[in-house]
Amino acid sequence: MTRIIIDCDPGHDDMMAIMLASASDKIDLLGVTTVAGNQTGDKTFENALRILTLIKEEIPVARGADKPLLRELVTAPEFHGQSGLDGAELPEPGIKPLHIDAVDFIIDMLEESLEKIVLVPTGPLTNIAMVLLKNPDIKHKIERIVLMGGGMHDSNVTPAAEFNIYVDPEAAKIVFGSGVPITMVGLDVTNRALMSFEEIEGIVADNGVISSKVGPLLKFFANANKKIFGLNGAPIHDALAVAAVIDPTVVETKFLNVQVEVSSELTRGATVVDIYGATSNSPNVDVALEVDTPKFVHFMVDSIRKLDKKFA
Ligand code: RIB
Ligand code: CA
């Protein structure tokens, strides 16, 4: 089993990432940490507790940064609603979170673990950058950072940038420049990790303990993406990062140089991917360029049905 920590800003697709990890017998989910992003730190933290309560995952949860390293927080209510998880009522938090900060939790887990750990950030990279700043030597305990973020050609929050990188570009610059092995699961593939309206209706029709919540939540997220981007469904961005840990063949990657723009306001947060080796910069990131969408959607549907069965 691959031992992972998910650092997230739930967020509909963050929820799917957590569920995919929980349902997989190839993943040992050591903990969940939260960061402000899709919504405020209060809301993403509460949403993580509600999700883990729903799937009865009694694992460590630690709260992280309420704002980026240097900049003001930008949230995404247009995609995730005022709660950060609009579309269905999730249970009141029933698990007790840790009383240490996410950064200290991640550092402690890495220090105490005999084996390396894979970090799966699916929100702004503030917490991960803080881990590397606070304890630079800890990076030799990180097996790989498999992050949802960035994009070579695709963007969403501005014409140049993807939301997670845009919100905290300085944090992303630190992470991308850390020397830790990184897989970037960006919009070029996650916009194609799409659950169609028909596939979502199938989840709604299952009407199980988990699918009766997940279905309406995915419908909300799909409607928001249709309204804003004209997509025919919900791009489950964050879950593709977890899927790439479970089965790396779900994406095709290329080892390329990636730099993060932090100076220009016009292109703030752009992930500049040197696809043709035009610069003298050495490759530093495995960039996901292709995705096996049918395999990914099968992962998602199979996971939700496994969780339904577990709680039937
Ligand atoms: O750009 C998509 C990313 O931003 C996803 O992680 C989504 O949850 C938001 O955090
Ligand atoms: Ca996210």
Side-chain angles (χ1 to χ4, degrees):
M1 292 175 100
T2 305
R3 304 161 81 246
I4 75 168
I5 294 171
I6 294 178
D7 182 68
C8 56
D9 61 337
H12 295 72
D13 51 331
D14 303 79
M15 172 187 73
M16 299 313 293
I18 292 168
M19 289 194 174
L20 183 57
S22 172
S24 173
D25 52 14
K26 295 213 173 76
I27 294 282
D28 182 1
L29 182 56
L30 302 175
V32 169
T33 53
T34 63
V35 64
N38 283 323
Q39 262 299 349
T40 61
D42 285 339
K43 293 179 180 178
T44 59
F45 181 58
E46 179 173 324
N47 288 339
L49 294 174
R50 289 175 181 269
I51 293 162
L52 293 167
T53 302
L54 175 68
I55 60 175
K56 296 185 174 54
E57 267 287 9
E58 298 271 344
I59 57 169
V61 183
R63 178 171 174 170
D66 284 334
K67 69 179 290 298
L69 294 179
L70 300 179
R71 297 170 188 259
E72 289 313 306
L73 177 64
V74 173
T75 57
E78 66 280 18
F79 289 101
H80 301 280
Q82 282 312 315
S83 74
L85 265 182
D86 283 16
E89 201 58 41
L90 291 183
E92 287 301 312
I95 58 172
K96 289 251 169 300
L98 297 178
H99 292 293
I100 62 168
D101 172 87
V103 174
D104 292 330
F105 168 70
I106 293 171
I107 290 171
D108 290 352
M109 290 297 284
L110 289 168
E111 276 177 343
E112 290 155 18
S113 175
L114 295 178
E115 301 144 54
K116 293 187 176 188
I117 294 172
V118 174
L119 302 183
V120 184
T122 63
L125 291 165
T126 317
N127 292 339
I128 309 303
M130 296 285 285
V131 164
L132 296 168
L133 290 171
K134 191 164 184 179
N135 189 336
D137 294 340
I138 205 73
K139 62 182 168 190
H140 74 274
K141 296 296 290 293
I142 304 172
E143 179 178 329
R144 178 168 285 270
I145 295 172
V146 182
L147 61 90
M148 191 280 137
M152 185 163 74
H153 299 305
D154 281 3
S155 59
N156 54 10
V157 65
T158 70
E162 177 279 326
F163 180 81
N164 289 337
I165 310 299
Y166 175 83
V167 169
D168 199 341
E170 284 76 20
K173 186 177 176 74
I174 289 166
V175 173
F176 279 64
S178 66
V180 173
I182 292 173
T183 300
M184 180 177 110
V185 181
L187 291 175
D188 310 284
V189 288
T190 67
N191 276 337
R192 288 182 277 155
L194 195 87
M195 284 189 79
S196 68
F197 281 100
E198 298 73 29
E199 286 155 346
I200 293 169
E201 281 307 329
I203 299 293
V204 173
D206 285 353
N207 198 29
V209 172
I210 302 300
S211 49
S212 61
K213 297 291 183 184
V214 167
L217 282 160
L218 287 178
K219 267 179 95 167
F220 176 93
F221 191 48
N223 286 330
N225 277 277
K226 180 172 175 62
K227 183 169 161 231
I228 299 169
F229 293 127
L231 294 179
N232 171 40
I236 321 291
H237 304 287
D238 297 333
L240 185 58
V242 171
V245 176
I246 294 169
D247 177 354
T249 67
V250 78
V251 292
E252 279 177 37
T253 64
K254 204 165 174 191
F255 193 41
L256 299 166
N257 181 265
V258 181
Q259 303 288 319
V260 179
E261 171 59 65
V262 295
S263 312
S264 152
E265 273 317 296
L266 175 65
T267 54
R268 155 192 168 171
T271 46
V272 182
V273 180
D274 186 2
I275 181 80
Y276 301 115
T279 71
S280 55
N281 300 322
S282 322
N284 58 330
V285 177
D286 290 293
V287 180
L289 299 175
E290 297 299 336
V291 54
D292 182 337
T293 301
K295 179 183 273 190
F296 171 72
V297 173
H298 170 74
F299 268 156
M300 291 317 305
V301 174
D302 186 49
S303 303
I304 298 162
R305 287 185 174 150
K306 267 172 83 173
L307 291 171
D308 268 349
K309 221 174 271 159
K310 182 177 169 186
F311 299 116

